[in-house]
Amino acid sequence: AATGDETRRRRILLQALKAHSGQRAIVYAPTIDAVNNTHQDLKLNKINSIPYHGQMDPARRERNQRRWQEGEVPVLVGTLAFG
């Protein structure tokens, strides 16, 4: 179960992404599990996103980065491997 802080952070993230709908964004997450959980949460809330982290297959990671850079998918959720 999510803590109050987690719920608040998730609500703030969703509000920010919806307020900037149509613009590209990077959401940094501290762990691979957090990347995957955030990506799934965004999907459940109808926000198109893709994951990005160092343990992904290199071809998939490169494809996801390209899709984000070209604007095909507006939100990339990644660890600092992206930075």
Side-chain angles (χ1 to χ4, degrees), residues 3-39:
T3 66
D5 283 346
E6 290 169 340
T7 300
R8 186 175 63 73
R9 280 193 294 268
R10 187 170 27 240
R11 187 177 63 248
I12 290 169
L13 175 61
L14 292 172
Q15 288 172 347
L17 291 174
K18 288 178 181 181
H20 296 279
S21 180
Q23 298 178 28
R24 286 187 294 163
I26 299 173
V27 176
Y28 284 106
T31 66
I32 291 168
D33 282 343
V35 166
N36 293 329
N37 291 339
T38 301
H39 168 63

Side-chain angles (χ1 to χ4, degrees), residues 41-81:
D41 192 40
L42 294 177
K43 280 178 54 174
L44 289 173
N45 284 278
K46 310 282 192 265
I47 295 174
N48 193 9
S49 69
I50 50 176
Y52 185 99
H53 57 74
Q55 289 185 4
M56 293 175 77
D57 172 73
R60 180 175 178 224
R61 188 173 59 238
E62 184 178 314
R63 183 175 60 249
N64 283 0
Q65 181 176 344
R66 187 178 61 252
R67 290 177 64 205
W68 177 80
Q69 287 175 323
E70 293 174 355
E72 180 183 338
V73 178
V75 180
L76 183 142
V77 182
T79 60
L80 291 180

